Amino acid sequence: MSIFVNITDKPLDSAEVLNYVRHPHAGAIVYFGGTTRNTFEGKEVVSLAYEAHPRLAIKTLESIAHEAKAKFQSVHKIAIVHRTGVVPVATESVMIAVSSTHRKEGWLCGEWVLEKVKERAEIWKIEKYADGDSIYKENDVSNVLSRT
Amino acid sequence: MSIFVNITDKPLDSAEVLNYVRHPHAGAIVYFGGTTRNTFEGKEVVSLAYEAHPRLAIKTLESIAHEAKAKFQSVHKIAIVHRTGVVPVATESVMIAVSSTHRKEGWLCGEWVLEKVKERAEIWKIEKYADGDSIYKENDVSNVLSRT
């Protein structure tokens, strides 16, 4: 298998995804970790949590990985893992890793996969602020669903 | 300190560079690992080794990291480490990690730092092939110095 996807409420492990994509034909491993920030637009974030529809989201992550393999032909392996539940500050909610023969395609593929995960995966974010506000968002910060 | 650079003949540790760049204001951690491939232009690679002028190369890596911090202002921390000596297949010779507030600048900075390391660091590569050929190169594969 050349793709690995997972959704879990446990802490994510960067060594696991980096080792998964390691490949003797690859000259490049590109990795992205999305981490919880303690501020958003100047407001102090007190907690950030993710909810997913696991069965749909896993299928979507698999589709994205397969599409990426078809689009970036020198890419050998792809891993995409997403955490649910509360994710502490400076801790990863998503990890994407890609191995490729040449570095350029690794960068392009990593960024492409990340954007597709944010656009398409059935994963939602709940951000709570120190001032009492909270926002319920689709994963992509451009899609604010409701403010409570 | 917001930058960390190192040149070592020991195996590189991805967890060390990822944890170094972790930052409460960062929403993104971008990482690149350059790994030894077992083929180059169709020829079987039997060994790949790196030589460096450590004192000069460390200064160059520091300069690149400082320039990157000035150029990409939402970048918080940068780590660049390079291994010397023989680097086995599927193993990292270089690791670059960057943390940034927003993901776009993380990608741009990671790729910029990598290209500058390949252009400017006083680090050379010796590649030996199964057919008995060997090539001594500057780090950037576009700069072949001599064929023995």
Side-chain angles (χ1 to χ4, degrees), chain A residues 22-72:
Chain A
R22 193 176 298 282
H23 192 283
H25 296 168
I29 292 175
V30 170
Y31 162 94
F32 179 89
T35 50
T36 298
R37 290 195 281 142
N38 63 2
T39 57
F40 182 75
E41 293 178 354
K43 297 164 80 164
E44 186 188 346
V45 173
V46 293
S47 87
L48 184 59
Y50 291 85
E51 279 178 7
H53 186 305
R55 193 167 49 82
L56 290 181
I58 285 281
K59 275 186 188 290
T60 300
L61 298 184
E62 284 173 349
S63 296
I64 292 167
H66 285 300
E67 285 170 44
K69 283 275 294 172
K71 185 177 174 70
F72 301 98

Side-chain angles (χ1 to χ4, degrees), chain A residues 89-103:
Chain A
V89 167
T91 303
E92 287 83 353
S93 54
V94 60
M95 292 182 173
I96 290 166
V98 164
S99 58
S100 57
T101 304
H102 302 293
R103 61 191 187 266

